[in-house]
Each structure stands twice: as structure tokens, then as C-alpha cells.
């Protein structure tokens, strides 16, 4: 079976772009709604899962949520923006309304020892767009990036293969975003990149 990455869509505007970036790494990728049943995910046996951004607040009454069991499958997961907040929220972290809303190109300080930030500059420009922020990372997570106003711009539980980024690595405004997604696909998910976009 070919290696594949599943993108679970929470209604963000860049979701097709995330899939395209993964395909540019020569890894097959499909976008599915966040309601995709866990059994179906298991059947597809993905090398990794990406949770997208979205316009909601994780603590809102009707906010879209995935099955929390997804974090127990042993499959690496990258949460982006809303996806990162949802991961923290479901695993016991704290998401609140941000005292300062970050929007646009923001300098982020990253921990380059993280598999996600390998060969990324310690200070790198990322695209932020959020009203909420992660006030407290979930237990077992290490904070791997921050900005002046955002204490948890990225967090990870490397042992479980769970990674969360508050910014959008898929957009061109994030200077080293392609590198970060590539790191996730290759370093974390162990993909070999033998799929071609034209196949």
C-alpha cells in the first residue's frame, strides 16, 4: 500500500493548499472532512494526519471536533492553527481568547532541536491568523516555539508523534513553512517520497 497523509478539514481557507504542499514532497495526500470515522482512518493506514485550521473556537458550543481516539492510534499528527488548539484542548491543555490577536507575518522563535524545525532558522517569519491562543500546552507536551504575544506558538509530544503549530506553515508568507511540512512528512512520519504528482 502506498504511503499517504490524510488532511482532516475543519473549514479553514488553506486546506487544499496543505494537501498540495504535502504532494509537493512527493507523498500522496487526501483531504477528508473532520467527521471521518476512526475506522475509516485505520483502514487507510496513513503515515500521518494533519488537522487543519478553521474559523471556530475550540471551546465554542458547536465547534467541530474529531474523535479524541485519533490521538491514540500511534499515527503522527500535526495540528495547524485551529487543529493545534483542538489537539491541546482535547488532551488537557488550555485554549483562551488571545489578549492580543496576531494576524500577519510574525517573528517566531523556534527550538531547532525539534524534528519539525530541523534546519529552520531560530528566528523565522510565520503567518499567524488567530483570535484564540494556547495558554497552556497539554500535559506531556514541550513548548517548541513562541512569539512576543504567543507563549505556545508550537508544542510537541515527540514520543507520541504529536505536533501542534499555531501558525500556517502551508502559506508562502511562512518563510520556512515548506521545510517544516517536509520535516513532518519525512522526519516524523517516515515517508520516503516516492509518489509523483503526475501519477
Amino acid at each position: 500500500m502506498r504511503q499517504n497523509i490524510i488532511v482532516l478539514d475543519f473549514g479553514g481557507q488553506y486546506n487544499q493548499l496543505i494537501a498540495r504542499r504535502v504532494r509537493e514532497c512527493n507523498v500522496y495526500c487526501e483531504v477528508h472532512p473532520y467527521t471521518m470515522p476512526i475506522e475509516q482512518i485505520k483502514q487507510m493506514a496513513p503515515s500521518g494526519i494533519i488537522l487543519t485550521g478553521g474559523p471556530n473556537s475550540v471551546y465554542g458550543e458547536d465547534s467541530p471536533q474529531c474523535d479524541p481516539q485519533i490521538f491514540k492510534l500511534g499515527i503522527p499528527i500535526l495540528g495547524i492553527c485551529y487543529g493545534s488548539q483542538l489537539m491541546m484542548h482535547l488532551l488537557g491543555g488550555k485554549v483562551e481568547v488571545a489578549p492580543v490577536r496576531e494576524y500577519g507575518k510574525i517573528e517566531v522563535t523556534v527550538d531547532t532541536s525539534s524534528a519539525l524545525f530541523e534546519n529552520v532558522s531560530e528566528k523565522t517569519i510565520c503567518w499567524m491568523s488567530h483570535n484564540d491562543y494556547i495558554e497552556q500546552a497539554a500535559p506531556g507536551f514541550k513548548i517548541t516555539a513562541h512569539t512576543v504575544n504567543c507563549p505556545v506558538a508550537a508544542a510537541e509530544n515527540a514520543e507520541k508523534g504529536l505536533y501542534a503549530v499555531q501558525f500556517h506553515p502551508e502559506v508562502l508568507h511562512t518563510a520556512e513553512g515548506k521545510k517544516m511540512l517536509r520535516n513532518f512528512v519525512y522526519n516524523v512520519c517516515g515517508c520516503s517520497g516516492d509518489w509523483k504528482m503526475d501519477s
Side-chain angles (χ1 to χ4, degrees), residues 46-68:
S47 304
I49 297 169
I50 299 177
L51 310 177
T52 73
N56 303 78
S57 287
V58 290
Y59 46 76
E61 226 166 276
D62 302 321
S63 65
Q65 312 238 331
C66 57
D67 187 332

Side-chain angles (χ1 to χ4, degrees), residues 71 74-77 139 157-163:
F71 301 111
I75 298 168
I77 298 177
N157 182 331
E159 203 185 338
K160 292 186 172 161
L162 302 177
Y163 293 79

Side-chain angles (χ1 to χ4, degrees), residues 49 51 71 77-89 91 114 116-117 134 137-138 141-146 152-158 161-169 180 184:
I49 297 169
L51 310 177
F71 301 111
I77 298 177
L78 172 64
I80 295 177
C81 202
Y82 179 85
S84 70
Q85 295 169 359
L86 184 64
M87 183 186 287
M88 293 300 122
H89 179 69
L91 295 175
S114 161
L116 200 60
F117 300 127
I134 298 161
F141 278 78
K142 172 185 167 193
I143 295 171
T144 52
H146 65 272
V152 188
E156 67 183 49
N157 182 331
L162 302 177
Y163 293 79
V165 294
Q166 178 61 79
F167 48 84
H168 286 277
M180 296 170 192
F184 177 69

Side-chain angles (χ1 to χ4, degrees), residues 6 27 43-45 69 73 79 85-86 90 97-98 105 110-112 120 142 148 150 160 174 178 181 185 187 198:
I6 292 176
V27 176
Q43 277 166 7
M44 286 188 72
Q69 293 302 316
L73 293 176
Q85 295 169 359
L86 184 64
L90 292 175
V97 176
K105 295 178 182 178
V110 302
D111 177 351
T112 55
V120 170
K142 172 185 167 193
V148 174
C150 190
K160 292 186 172 161
T174 296
K178 280 184 180 177
L181 285 172
V185 169
N187 296 0
D198 50 19

Side-chain angles (χ1 to χ4, degrees), residues 93-141:
K94 238 175 128 179
V95 177
E96 301 282 348
V97 176
V100 180
R101 178 174 183 244
E102 290 188 311
Y103 185 82
K105 295 178 182 178
I106 310 275
E107 187 180 72
V108 179
T109 305
V110 302
D111 177 351
T112 55
S113 69
S114 161
L116 200 60
F117 300 127
E118 194 188 323
N119 297 324
V120 170
S121 324
E122 192 185 341
K123 299 221 183 270
T124 187
I125 297 294
C126 298
W127 184 257
M128 291 277 192
S129 165
H130 58 97
N131 293 317
D132 298 336
Y133 79 137
I134 298 161
E135 189 179 69
Q136 208 178 333
F141 278 78

